[in-house]
Amino acid sequence: DDPMGRVDVDLRGLADRRTRRQWYRLRPPEPKMPAGKVELALRWVHDPKLVEPLPWELLDPKDVELPFNALRVYPMRCRSASTAPPTLEAVVSLVRPRAPDSSVDAHERATAPETRPAGTRFTSWKDHFLLPLDDAEPEADDGLRCVVRCPETRRAVGAVEIPWDELKKVARREWWVFDDAPDEPESSGEPRAEVELAYVLVHDAAIEREREFRELLAARRKAEYDR
């Protein structure tokens, strides 16, 4: 239980409520003791009762030097209108209207339906997905679309589209107010219907064209070794 050191973090760097992950140098309890480092992932949240830590999948170390070829998406939960159906699913897809040989919504994935606890407006899901970006370079009008709907009728209770400029940032977990929530009455006095999504650009072996991607990495590593 002997302390190895401590670190102080300036909270002003967390004012934008985005996740910050970095190494901090420890200050040892005695001047002659060796100093170590600790890696922390921090985020300032507005309500500790509603926001949980980032999923561990988004905190795996990634080599930012390598190209990304997939978007990992984790539909966490939604706050629906009180009149929405009790059982809901989240459907995520890439919106790539200019990509060759692709539909507007590419690589659509749906979570398993979940029923919210009685007396609440929150529905939580456990699934996460890798959406391959294929070979086309992302365009400004590309993005991620999430539709929350009733699995039986497929009627949407809300939808949101996140632009590419937001997706290409660091790993993030945020609430997004629905662009369209047909079940939400106007001026109801309730908090707005919204969905919580976690997402990060990754290069991952568990996606399409795994062999080609591994060959690319091997060639790059060999080129660096031969220098």
Side-chain angles (χ1 to χ4, degrees):
D1 295 331
D2 295 335
M4 298 179 59
R6 59 175 291 178
V7 62
D8 295 326
V9 179
D10 188 350
L11 296 182
R12 290 175 295 182
L14 305 175
D16 59 3
R17 297 184 180 179
R18 296 178 182 172
T19 300
R20 294 288 184 270
R21 178 181 175 179
Q22 67 183 74
W23 287 92
Y24 296 89
R25 184 174 296 278
L26 294 170
R27 296 203 309 271
E30 297 180 9
K32 295 184 179 180
M33 291 183 63
K37 291 183 178 181
V38 61
E39 186 182 21
L40 300 176
L42 304 170
R43 181 188 175 200
W44 190 276
V45 297
H46 61 281
D47 191 341
K49 295 180 180 180
L50 297 182
V51 181
E52 302 171 357
L54 277 170
W56 65 266
E57 293 89 347
L58 299 186
L59 295 178
D60 284 345
K62 303 294 179 185
D63 186 351
V64 296
E65 301 280 331
L66 297 176
F68 55 80
N69 60 357
L71 179 72
R72 187 187 296 279
V73 185
Y74 197 137
M76 306 298 298
R77 53 187 167 172
C78 85
R79 172 165 42 196
S80 58
S82 57
T83 56
T87 300
L88 299 171
E89 64 181 0
V91 182
V92 295
S93 60
L94 293 175
V95 180
R96 311 203 65 191
R98 300 178 185 270
D101 302 325
S102 69
S103 61
V104 174
D105 293 318
H107 305 293
E108 185 176 280
R109 303 287 189 272
T111 65
E114 296 288 347
T115 301
R116 65 176 181 265
T120 73
R121 297 176 58 195
F122 290 96
T123 305
S124 300
W125 301 285
K126 302 175 182 178
D127 301 308
H128 58 89
F129 310 100
L130 278 170
L131 304 181
L133 288 166
D134 300 319
D135 296 324
E137 289 295 325
E139 301 281 351
D141 52 357
D142 290 347
L144 171 68
R145 182 171 176 80
C146 177
V147 178
V148 177
R149 67 188 186 188
C150 173
E152 296 180 354
T153 64
R154 292 183 173 266
R155 181 175 181 272
V157 301
V160 64
E161 191 167 312
I162 303 173
W164 174 251
D165 284 343
E166 296 292 334
L167 299 176
K168 65 184 182 182
K169 298 176 182 177
V170 297
R172 301 179 69 178
R173 176 176 179 171
E174 293 184 284
W175 285 93
W176 292 84
V177 175
F178 286 132
D179 300 326
D180 181 25
D183 287 325
E184 186 176 38
E186 296 184 4
S187 303
S188 64
E190 296 181 341
R192 293 293 305 276
E194 56 187 349
V195 63
E196 186 183 22
L197 298 170
Y199 46 88
V200 64
L201 287 166
V202 299
H203 52 276
D204 197 299
I207 64 171
E208 298 174 8
R209 301 184 309 282
E210 173 182 350
R211 181 179 60 83
E212 291 84 350
F213 184 67
R214 286 182 175 271
E215 289 176 354
L216 172 64
L217 295 188
R220 291 196 174 191
R221 288 170 181 155
K222 184 178 185 301
E224 293 178 357
Y225 181 79
D226 293 339
R227 289 178 183 175

PDB file of all heavy atoms in Angstrom, residues 118-152:
ATOM      1  N   ALA A 118     -40.289  -0.381 -16.417  1.00  0.00           N
ATOM      2  CA  ALA A 118     -41.568   0.312 -16.231  1.00  0.00           C
ATOM      3  C   ALA A 118     -41.362   1.606 -15.457  1.00  0.00           C
ATOM      4  O   ALA A 118     -40.601   1.665 -14.489  1.00  0.00           O
ATOM      5  CB  ALA A 118     -42.550  -0.590 -15.482  1.00  0.00           C
ATOM      6  N   GLY A 119     -42.035   2.640 -15.903  1.00  0.00           N
ATOM      7  CA  GLY A 119     -41.954   3.927 -15.225  1.00  0.00           C
ATOM      8  C   GLY A 119     -40.779   4.785 -15.619  1.00  0.00           C
ATOM      9  O   GLY A 119     -40.569   5.851 -15.028  1.00  0.00           O
ATOM     10  N   THR A 120     -39.977   4.348 -16.589  1.00  0.00           N
ATOM     11  CA  THR A 120     -38.828   5.133 -17.040  1.00  0.00           C
ATOM     12  C   THR A 120     -38.957   5.402 -18.535  1.00  0.00           C
ATOM     13  O   THR A 120     -39.799   4.825 -19.224  1.00  0.00           O
ATOM     14  CB  THR A 120     -37.506   4.395 -16.784  1.00  0.00           C
ATOM     15  OG1 THR A 120     -37.370   3.314 -17.717  1.00  0.00           O
ATOM     16  CG2 THR A 120     -37.456   3.837 -15.374  1.00  0.00           C
ATOM     17  N   ARG A 121     -38.073   6.254 -19.039  1.00  0.00           N
ATOM     18  CA  ARG A 121     -38.029   6.552 -20.465  1.00  0.00           C
ATOM     19  C   ARG A 121     -36.753   6.023 -21.108  1.00  0.00           C
ATOM     20  O   ARG A 121     -36.492   6.276 -22.276  1.00  0.00           O
ATOM     21  CB  ARG A 121     -38.113   8.070 -20.681  1.00  0.00           C
ATOM     22  CG  ARG A 121     -39.415   8.703 -20.205  1.00  0.00           C
ATOM     23  CD  ARG A 121     -39.366  10.211 -20.358  1.00  0.00           C
ATOM     24  NE  ARG A 121     -39.127  10.594 -21.740  1.00  0.00           N
ATOM     25  CZ  ARG A 121     -38.753  11.820 -22.111  1.00  0.00           C
ATOM     26  NH1 ARG A 121     -38.579  12.759 -21.205  1.00  0.00           N
ATOM     27  NH2 ARG A 121     -38.555  12.096 -23.387  1.00  0.00           N
ATOM     28  N   PHE A 122     -35.926   5.278 -20.354  1.00  0.00           N
ATOM     29  CA  PHE A 122     -34.605   4.870 -20.842  1.00  0.00           C
ATOM     30  C   PHE A 122     -34.613   3.415 -21.314  1.00  0.00           C
ATOM     31  O   PHE A 122     -35.031   2.509 -20.590  1.00  0.00           O
ATOM     32  CB  PHE A 122     -33.546   5.044 -19.759  1.00  0.00           C
ATOM     33  CG  PHE A 122     -33.249   6.485 -19.459  1.00  0.00           C
ATOM     34  CD1 PHE A 122     -33.875   7.134 -18.413  1.00  0.00           C
ATOM     35  CD2 PHE A 122     -32.358   7.196 -20.243  1.00  0.00           C
ATOM     36  CE1 PHE A 122     -33.616   8.461 -18.139  1.00  0.00           C
ATOM     37  CE2 PHE A 122     -32.082   8.525 -19.977  1.00  0.00           C
ATOM     38  CZ  PHE A 122     -32.719   9.158 -18.923  1.00  0.00           C
ATOM     39  N   THR A 123     -34.129   3.209 -22.538  1.00  0.00           N
ATOM     40  CA  THR A 123     -33.920   1.879 -23.101  1.00  0.00           C
ATOM     41  C   THR A 123     -32.431   1.698 -23.328  1.00  0.00           C
ATOM     42  O   THR A 123     -31.792   2.553 -23.956  1.00  0.00           O
ATOM     43  CB  THR A 123     -34.671   1.712 -24.436  1.00  0.00           C
ATOM     44  OG1 THR A 123     -36.052   2.012 -24.247  1.00  0.00           O
ATOM     45  CG2 THR A 123     -34.513   0.293 -24.968  1.00  0.00           C
ATOM     46  N   SER A 124     -31.851   0.603 -22.824  1.00  0.00           N
ATOM     47  CA  SER A 124     -30.412   0.346 -22.967  1.00  0.00           C
ATOM     48  C   SER A 124     -30.183  -0.868 -23.855  1.00  0.00           C
ATOM     49  O   SER A 124     -30.960  -1.828 -23.829  1.00  0.00           O
ATOM     50  CB  SER A 124     -29.768   0.105 -21.594  1.00  0.00           C
ATOM     51  OG  SER A 124     -29.936   1.228 -20.753  1.00  0.00           O
ATOM     52  N   TRP A 125     -29.097  -0.828 -24.647  1.00  0.00           N
ATOM     53  CA  TRP A 125     -28.715  -1.945 -25.512  1.00  0.00           C
ATOM     54  C   TRP A 125     -27.309  -2.407 -25.167  1.00  0.00           C
ATOM     55  O   TRP A 125     -26.540  -1.688 -24.514  1.00  0.00           O
ATOM     56  CB  TRP A 125     -28.766  -1.524 -26.980  1.00  0.00           C
ATOM     57  CG  TRP A 125     -30.117  -1.062 -27.416  1.00  0.00           C
ATOM     58  CD1 TRP A 125     -31.212  -1.835 -27.678  1.00  0.00           C
ATOM     59  CD2 TRP A 125     -30.533   0.284 -27.646  1.00  0.00           C
ATOM     60  NE1 TRP A 125     -32.277  -1.059 -28.060  1.00  0.00           N
ATOM     61  CE2 TRP A 125     -31.895   0.248 -28.046  1.00  0.00           C
ATOM     62  CE3 TRP A 125     -29.901   1.524 -27.565  1.00  0.00           C
ATOM     63  CZ2 TRP A 125     -32.609   1.402 -28.353  1.00  0.00           C
ATOM     64  CZ3 TRP A 125     -30.612   2.669 -27.870  1.00  0.00           C
ATOM     65  CH2 TRP A 125     -31.941   2.602 -28.253  1.00  0.00           C
ATOM     66  N   LYS A 126     -26.973  -3.619 -25.612  1.00  0.00           N
ATOM     67  CA  LYS A 126     -25.676  -4.226 -25.278  1.00  0.00           C
ATOM     68  C   LYS A 126     -24.818  -4.501 -26.504  1.00  0.00           C
ATOM     69  O   LYS A 126     -23.674  -4.919 -26.355  1.00  0.00           O
ATOM     70  CB  LYS A 126     -25.903  -5.539 -24.519  1.00  0.00           C
ATOM     71  CG  LYS A 126     -26.716  -5.386 -23.239  1.00  0.00           C
ATOM     72  CD  LYS A 126     -27.004  -6.720 -22.597  1.00  0.00           C
ATOM     73  CE  LYS A 126     -27.866  -6.559 -21.356  1.00  0.00           C
ATOM     74  NZ  LYS A 126     -28.213  -7.868 -20.731  1.00  0.00           N
ATOM     75  N   ASP A 127     -25.352  -4.299 -27.702  1.00  0.00           N
ATOM     76  CA  ASP A 127     -24.618  -4.654 -28.918  1.00  0.00           C
ATOM     77  C   ASP A 127     -23.750  -3.503 -29.395  1.00  0.00           C
ATOM     78  O   ASP A 127     -24.068  -2.331 -29.188  1.00  0.00           O
ATOM     79  CB  ASP A 127     -25.605  -5.030 -30.030  1.00  0.00           C
ATOM     80  CG  ASP A 127     -26.497  -6.187 -29.632  1.00  0.00           C
ATOM     81  OD1 ASP A 127     -25.955  -7.214 -29.210  1.00  0.00           O
ATOM     82  OD2 ASP A 127     -27.733  -6.049 -29.724  1.00  0.00           O
ATOM     83  N   HIS A 128     -22.643  -3.858 -30.047  1.00  0.00           N
ATOM     84  CA  HIS A 128     -21.830  -2.864 -30.735  1.00  0.00           C
ATOM     85  C   HIS A 128     -21.377  -3.461 -32.060  1.00  0.00           C
ATOM     86  O   HIS A 128     -21.312  -4.680 -32.228  1.00  0.00           O
ATOM     87  CB  HIS A 128     -20.624  -2.421 -29.886  1.00  0.00           C
ATOM     88  CG  HIS A 128     -19.723  -3.538 -29.479  1.00  0.00           C
ATOM     89  ND1 HIS A 128     -18.659  -3.953 -30.249  1.00  0.00           N
ATOM     90  CD2 HIS A 128     -19.723  -4.337 -28.391  1.00  0.00           C
ATOM     91  CE1 HIS A 128     -18.035  -4.948 -29.640  1.00  0.00           C
ATOM     92  NE2 HIS A 128     -18.671  -5.200 -28.515  1.00  0.00           N
ATOM     93  N   PHE A 129     -21.045  -2.597 -33.025  1.00  0.00           N
ATOM     94  CA  PHE A 129     -20.821  -3.048 -34.397  1.00  0.00           C
ATOM     95  C   PHE A 129     -19.596  -2.378 -34.999  1.00  0.00           C
ATOM     96  O   PHE A 129     -19.218  -1.276 -34.611  1.00  0.00           O
ATOM     97  CB  PHE A 129     -22.035  -2.718 -35.270  1.00  0.00           C
ATOM     98  CG  PHE A 129     -23.345  -3.164 -34.695  1.00  0.00           C
ATOM     99  CD1 PHE A 129     -24.180  -2.274 -34.042  1.00  0.00           C
ATOM    100  CD2 PHE A 129     -23.740  -4.492 -34.790  1.00  0.00           C
ATOM    101  CE1 PHE A 129     -25.384  -2.673 -33.504  1.00  0.00           C
ATOM    102  CE2 PHE A 129     -24.945  -4.913 -34.245  1.00  0.00           C
ATOM    103  CZ  PHE A 129     -25.762  -4.002 -33.605  1.00  0.00           C
ATOM    104  N   LEU A 130     -18.996  -3.088 -35.961  1.00  0.00           N
ATOM    105  CA  LEU A 130     -17.964  -2.514 -36.812  1.00  0.00           C
ATOM    106  C   LEU A 130     -18.574  -2.263 -38.179  1.00  0.00           C
ATOM    107  O   LEU A 130     -19.032  -3.207 -38.839  1.00  0.00           O
ATOM    108  CB  LEU A 130     -16.766  -3.465 -36.933  1.00  0.00           C
ATOM    109  CG  LEU A 130     -15.763  -3.424 -35.797  1.00  0.00           C
ATOM    110  CD1 LEU A 130     -14.783  -4.574 -35.921  1.00  0.00           C
ATOM    111  CD2 LEU A 130     -15.018  -2.106 -35.780  1.00  0.00           C
ATOM    112  N   LEU A 131     -18.599  -1.021 -38.619  1.00  0.00           N
ATOM    113  CA  LEU A 131     -19.138  -0.668 -39.928  1.00  0.00           C
ATOM    114  C   LEU A 131     -17.967  -0.387 -40.860  1.00  0.00           C
ATOM    115  O   LEU A 131     -17.302   0.648 -40.735  1.00  0.00           O
ATOM    116  CB  LEU A 131     -20.038   0.560 -39.814  1.00  0.00           C
ATOM    117  CG  LEU A 131     -21.198   0.458 -38.817  1.00  0.00           C
ATOM    118  CD1 LEU A 131     -22.014   1.746 -38.843  1.00  0.00           C
ATOM    119  CD2 LEU A 131     -22.073  -0.746 -39.097  1.00  0.00           C
ATOM    120  N   PRO A 132     -17.653  -1.282 -41.812  1.00  0.00           N
ATOM    121  CA  PRO A 132     -16.507  -1.071 -42.708  1.00  0.00           C
ATOM    122  C   PRO A 132     -16.699   0.162 -43.579  1.00  0.00           C
ATOM    123  O   PRO A 132     -17.802   0.462 -44.034  1.00  0.00           O
ATOM    124  CB  PRO A 132     -16.486  -2.351 -43.554  1.00  0.00           C
ATOM    125  CG  PRO A 132     -17.262  -3.359 -42.766  1.00  0.00           C
ATOM    126  CD  PRO A 132     -18.302  -2.578 -42.030  1.00  0.00           C
ATOM    127  N   LEU A 133     -15.602   0.871 -43.808  1.00  0.00           N
ATOM    128  CA  LEU A 133     -15.639   2.064 -44.636  1.00  0.00           C
ATOM    129  C   LEU A 133     -15.333   1.761 -46.095  1.00  0.00           C
ATOM    130  O   LEU A 133     -15.262   2.681 -46.904  1.00  0.00           O
ATOM    131  CB  LEU A 133     -14.646   3.100 -44.110  1.00  0.00           C
ATOM    132  CG  LEU A 133     -15.070   3.768 -42.800  1.00  0.00           C
ATOM    133  CD1 LEU A 133     -13.908   4.504 -42.172  1.00  0.00           C
ATOM    134  CD2 LEU A 133     -16.222   4.724 -43.035  1.00  0.00           C
ATOM    135  N   ASP A 134     -15.102   0.486 -46.430  1.00  0.00           N
ATOM    136  CA  ASP A 134     -14.807   0.096 -47.803  1.00  0.00           C
ATOM    137  C   ASP A 134     -13.561   0.840 -48.300  1.00  0.00           C
ATOM    138  O   ASP A 134     -12.731   1.267 -47.524  1.00  0.00           O
ATOM    139  CB  ASP A 134     -16.013   0.324 -48.714  1.00  0.00           C
ATOM    140  CG  ASP A 134     -17.218  -0.493 -48.257  1.00  0.00           C
ATOM    141  OD1 ASP A 134     -17.012  -1.660 -47.878  1.00  0.00           O
ATOM    142  OD2 ASP A 134     -18.341   0.027 -48.267  1.00  0.00           O
ATOM    143  N   ASP A 135     -13.457   1.003 -49.603  1.00  0.00           N
ATOM    144  CA  ASP A 135     -12.257   1.606 -50.180  1.00  0.00           C
ATOM    145  C   ASP A 135     -12.425   3.084 -50.510  1.00  0.00           C
ATOM    146  O   ASP A 135     -11.464   3.746 -50.869  1.00  0.00           O
ATOM    147  CB  ASP A 135     -11.861   0.864 -51.465  1.00  0.00           C
ATOM    148  CG  ASP A 135     -11.486  -0.586 -51.167  1.00  0.00           C
ATOM    149  OD1 ASP A 135     -10.887  -0.818 -50.111  1.00  0.00           O
ATOM    150  OD2 ASP A 135     -11.797  -1.457 -51.989  1.00  0.00           O
ATOM    151  N   ALA A 136     -13.641   3.590 -50.467  1.00  0.00           N
ATOM    152  CA  ALA A 136     -13.873   4.969 -50.859  1.00  0.00           C
ATOM    153  C   ALA A 136     -13.480   5.920 -49.725  1.00  0.00           C
ATOM    154  O   ALA A 136     -13.783   5.676 -48.567  1.00  0.00           O
ATOM    155  CB  ALA A 136     -15.338   5.171 -51.233  1.00  0.00           C
ATOM    156  N   GLU A 137     -12.804   6.997 -50.084  1.00  0.00           N
ATOM    157  CA  GLU A 137     -12.451   8.002 -49.097  1.00  0.00           C
ATOM    158  C   GLU A 137     -13.718   8.715 -48.611  1.00  0.00           C
ATOM    159  O   GLU A 137     -14.609   9.017 -49.406  1.00  0.00           O
ATOM    160  CB  GLU A 137     -11.484   9.022 -49.697  1.00  0.00           C
ATOM    161  CG  GLU A 137     -10.089   8.474 -49.946  1.00  0.00           C
ATOM    162  CD  GLU A 137      -9.387   8.112 -48.653  1.00  0.00           C
ATOM    163  OE1 GLU A 137      -9.590   8.806 -47.636  1.00  0.00           O
ATOM    164  OE2 GLU A 137      -8.654   7.107 -48.657  1.00  0.00           O
ATOM    165  N   PRO A 138     -13.815   8.986 -47.309  1.00  0.00           N
ATOM    166  CA  PRO A 138     -15.007   9.672 -46.789  1.00  0.00           C
ATOM    167  C   PRO A 138     -15.173  11.058 -47.406  1.00  0.00           C
ATOM    168  O   PRO A 138     -14.200  11.764 -47.652  1.00  0.00           O
ATOM    169  CB  PRO A 138     -14.734   9.755 -45.286  1.00  0.00           C
ATOM    170  CG  PRO A 138     -13.729   8.673 -45.019  1.00  0.00           C
ATOM    171  CD  PRO A 138     -12.893   8.584 -46.249  1.00  0.00           C
ATOM    172  N   GLU A 139     -16.418  11.421 -47.658  1.00  0.00           N
ATOM    173  CA  GLU A 139     -16.749  12.736 -48.192  1.00  0.00           C
ATOM    174  C   GLU A 139     -17.386  13.593 -47.099  1.00  0.00           C
ATOM    175  O   GLU A 139     -17.780  13.095 -46.042  1.00  0.00           O
ATOM    176  CB  GLU A 139     -17.733  12.591 -49.367  1.00  0.00           C
ATOM    177  CG  GLU A 139     -17.228  11.742 -50.514  1.00  0.00           C
ATOM    178  CD  GLU A 139     -16.255  12.503 -51.408  1.00  0.00           C
ATOM    179  OE1 GLU A 139     -16.121  13.729 -51.222  1.00  0.00           O
ATOM    180  OE2 GLU A 139     -15.624  11.859 -52.265  1.00  0.00           O
ATOM    181  N   ALA A 140     -17.491  14.892 -47.384  1.00  0.00           N
ATOM    182  CA  ALA A 140     -18.035  15.819 -46.386  1.00  0.00           C
ATOM    183  C   ALA A 140     -19.480  15.507 -46.039  1.00  0.00           C
ATOM    184  O   ALA A 140     -19.930  15.773 -44.921  1.00  0.00           O
ATOM    185  CB  ALA A 140     -17.907  17.252 -46.883  1.00  0.00           C
ATOM    186  N   ASP A 141     -20.240  14.951 -47.002  1.00  0.00           N
ATOM    187  CA  ASP A 141     -21.644  14.672 -46.725  1.00  0.00           C
ATOM    188  C   ASP A 141     -21.880  13.241 -46.245  1.00  0.00           C
ATOM    189  O   ASP A 141     -23.015  12.790 -46.173  1.00  0.00           O
ATOM    190  CB  ASP A 141     -22.515  14.957 -47.954  1.00  0.00           C
ATOM    191  CG  ASP A 141     -21.991  14.262 -49.210  1.00  0.00           C
ATOM    192  OD1 ASP A 141     -20.933  13.623 -49.122  1.00  0.00           O
ATOM    193  OD2 ASP A 141     -22.645  14.375 -50.262  1.00  0.00           O
ATOM    194  N   ASP A 142     -20.818  12.501 -45.934  1.00  0.00           N
ATOM    195  CA  ASP A 142     -20.961  11.186 -45.320  1.00  0.00           C
ATOM    196  C   ASP A 142     -21.299  11.357 -43.841  1.00  0.00           C
ATOM    197  O   ASP A 142     -21.132  12.437 -43.267  1.00  0.00           O
ATOM    198  CB  ASP A 142     -19.676  10.372 -45.456  1.00  0.00           C
ATOM    199  CG  ASP A 142     -19.418   9.943 -46.891  1.00  0.00           C
ATOM    200  OD1 ASP A 142     -20.345  10.074 -47.710  1.00  0.00           O
ATOM    201  OD2 ASP A 142     -18.307   9.489 -47.193  1.00  0.00           O
ATOM    202  N   GLY A 143     -21.739  10.280 -43.216  1.00  0.00           N
ATOM    203  CA  GLY A 143     -22.042  10.371 -41.802  1.00  0.00           C
ATOM    204  C   GLY A 143     -22.542   9.054 -41.244  1.00  0.00           C
ATOM    205  O   GLY A 143     -22.532   8.017 -41.910  1.00  0.00           O
ATOM    206  N   LEU A 144     -22.953   9.085 -40.003  1.00  0.00           N
ATOM    207  CA  LEU A 144     -23.512   7.932 -39.300  1.00  0.00           C
ATOM    208  C   LEU A 144     -24.970   8.228 -38.984  1.00  0.00           C
ATOM    209  O   LEU A 144     -25.296   9.290 -38.453  1.00  0.00           O
ATOM    210  CB  LEU A 144     -22.744   7.671 -38.006  1.00  0.00           C
ATOM    211  CG  LEU A 144     -23.349   6.634 -37.056  1.00  0.00           C
ATOM    212  CD1 LEU A 144     -23.268   5.236 -37.665  1.00  0.00           C
ATOM    213  CD2 LEU A 144     -22.649   6.670 -35.700  1.00  0.00           C
ATOM    214  N   ARG A 145     -25.832   7.293 -39.315  1.00  0.00           N
ATOM    215  CA  ARG A 145     -27.257   7.442 -39.036  1.00  0.00           C
ATOM    216  C   ARG A 145     -27.683   6.412 -38.010  1.00  0.00           C
ATOM    217  O   ARG A 145     -27.315   5.244 -38.094  1.00  0.00           O
ATOM    218  CB  ARG A 145     -28.078   7.290 -40.321  1.00  0.00           C
ATOM    219  CG  ARG A 145     -29.582   7.472 -40.115  1.00  0.00           C
ATOM    220  CD  ARG A 145     -30.308   7.533 -41.449  1.00  0.00           C
ATOM    221  NE  ARG A 145     -31.758   7.614 -41.297  1.00  0.00           N
ATOM    222  CZ  ARG A 145     -32.422   8.719 -41.017  1.00  0.00           C
ATOM    223  NH1 ARG A 145     -31.754   9.854 -40.849  1.00  0.00           N
ATOM    224  NH2 ARG A 145     -33.739   8.719 -40.900  1.00  0.00           N
ATOM    225  N   CYS A 146     -28.465   6.853 -37.038  1.00  0.00           N
ATOM    226  CA  CYS A 146     -29.020   5.952 -36.034  1.00  0.00           C
ATOM    227  C   CYS A 146     -30.529   6.183 -35.970  1.00  0.00           C
ATOM    228  O   CYS A 146     -30.987   7.320 -35.776  1.00  0.00           O
ATOM    229  CB  CYS A 146     -28.388   6.201 -34.663  1.00  0.00           C
ATOM    230  SG  CYS A 146     -29.099   5.178 -33.347  1.00  0.00           S
ATOM    231  N   VAL A 147     -31.275   5.102 -36.148  1.00  0.00           N
ATOM    232  CA  VAL A 147     -32.736   5.150 -36.076  1.00  0.00           C
ATOM    233  C   VAL A 147     -33.182   4.254 -34.920  1.00  0.00           C
ATOM    234  O   VAL A 147     -32.786   3.082 -34.856  1.00  0.00           O
ATOM    235  CB  VAL A 147     -33.381   4.671 -37.393  1.00  0.00           C
ATOM    236  CG1 VAL A 147     -34.900   4.683 -37.272  1.00  0.00           C
ATOM    237  CG2 VAL A 147     -32.922   5.540 -38.562  1.00  0.00           C
ATOM    238  N   VAL A 148     -33.951   4.790 -34.029  1.00  0.00           N
ATOM    239  CA  VAL A 148     -34.540   4.006 -32.938  1.00  0.00           C
ATOM    240  C   VAL A 148     -35.979   3.713 -33.330  1.00  0.00           C
ATOM    241  O   VAL A 148     -36.745   4.632 -33.645  1.00  0.00           O
ATOM    242  CB  VAL A 148     -34.473   4.767 -31.608  1.00  0.00           C
ATOM    243  CG1 VAL A 148     -35.146   3.953 -30.511  1.00  0.00           C
ATOM    244  CG2 VAL A 148     -33.025   5.054 -31.236  1.00  0.00           C
ATOM    245  N   ARG A 149     -36.346   2.434 -33.329  1.00  0.00           N
ATOM    246  CA  ARG A 149     -37.662   2.073 -33.852  1.00  0.00           C
ATOM    247  C   ARG A 149     -38.257   0.904 -33.076  1.00  0.00           C
ATOM    248  O   ARG A 149     -37.552   0.186 -32.346  1.00  0.00           O
ATOM    249  CB  ARG A 149     -37.557   1.692 -35.325  1.00  0.00           C
ATOM    250  CG  ARG A 149     -36.782   0.413 -35.565  1.00  0.00           C
ATOM    251  CD  ARG A 149     -36.534   0.172 -37.048  1.00  0.00           C
ATOM    252  NE  ARG A 149     -35.916  -1.130 -37.268  1.00  0.00           N
ATOM    253  CZ  ARG A 149     -35.442  -1.547 -38.452  1.00  0.00           C
ATOM    254  NH1 ARG A 149     -35.524  -0.755 -39.509  1.00  0.00           N
ATOM    255  NH2 ARG A 149     -34.895  -2.758 -38.563  1.00  0.00           N
ATOM    256  N   CYS A 150     -39.535   0.701 -33.274  1.00  0.00           N
ATOM    257  CA  CYS A 150     -40.230  -0.464 -32.742  1.00  0.00           C
ATOM    258  C   CYS A 150     -39.889  -1.662 -33.628  1.00  0.00           C
ATOM    259  O   CYS A 150     -40.074  -1.594 -34.843  1.00  0.00           O
ATOM    260  CB  CYS A 150     -41.729  -0.207 -32.730  1.00  0.00           C
ATOM    261  SG  CYS A 150     -42.705  -1.665 -32.283  1.00  0.00           S
ATOM    262  N   PRO A 151     -39.380  -2.766 -33.070  1.00  0.00           N
ATOM    263  CA  PRO A 151     -38.976  -3.893 -33.912  1.00  0.00           C
ATOM    264  C   PRO A 151     -40.137  -4.592 -34.612  1.00  0.00           C
ATOM    265  O   PRO A 151     -39.942  -5.223 -35.652  1.00  0.00           O
ATOM    266  CB  PRO A 151     -38.275  -4.832 -32.933  1.00  0.00           C
ATOM    267  CG  PRO A 151     -38.817  -4.473 -31.590  1.00  0.00           C
ATOM    268  CD  PRO A 151     -39.105  -3.011 -31.649  1.00  0.00           C
ATOM    269  N   GLU A 152     -41.340  -4.499 -34.071  1.00  0.00           N
ATOM    270  CA  GLU A 152     -42.484  -5.191 -34.672  1.00  0.00           C
ATOM    271  C   GLU A 152     -43.052  -4.406 -35.857  1.00  0.00           C
ATOM    272  O   GLU A 152     -43.263  -4.948 -36.938  1.00  0.00           O
ATOM    273  CB  GLU A 152     -43.560  -5.427 -33.617  1.00  0.00           C
ATOM    274  CG  GLU A 152     -43.109  -6.360 -32.487  1.00  0.00           C
ATOM    275  CD  GLU A 152     -44.202  -6.559 -31.462  1.00  0.00           C
ATOM    276  OE1 GLU A 152     -45.259  -5.889 -31.572  1.00  0.00           O
ATOM    277  OE2 GLU A 152     -44.021  -7.382 -30.538  1.00  0.00           O
TER     278      GLU A 152
END
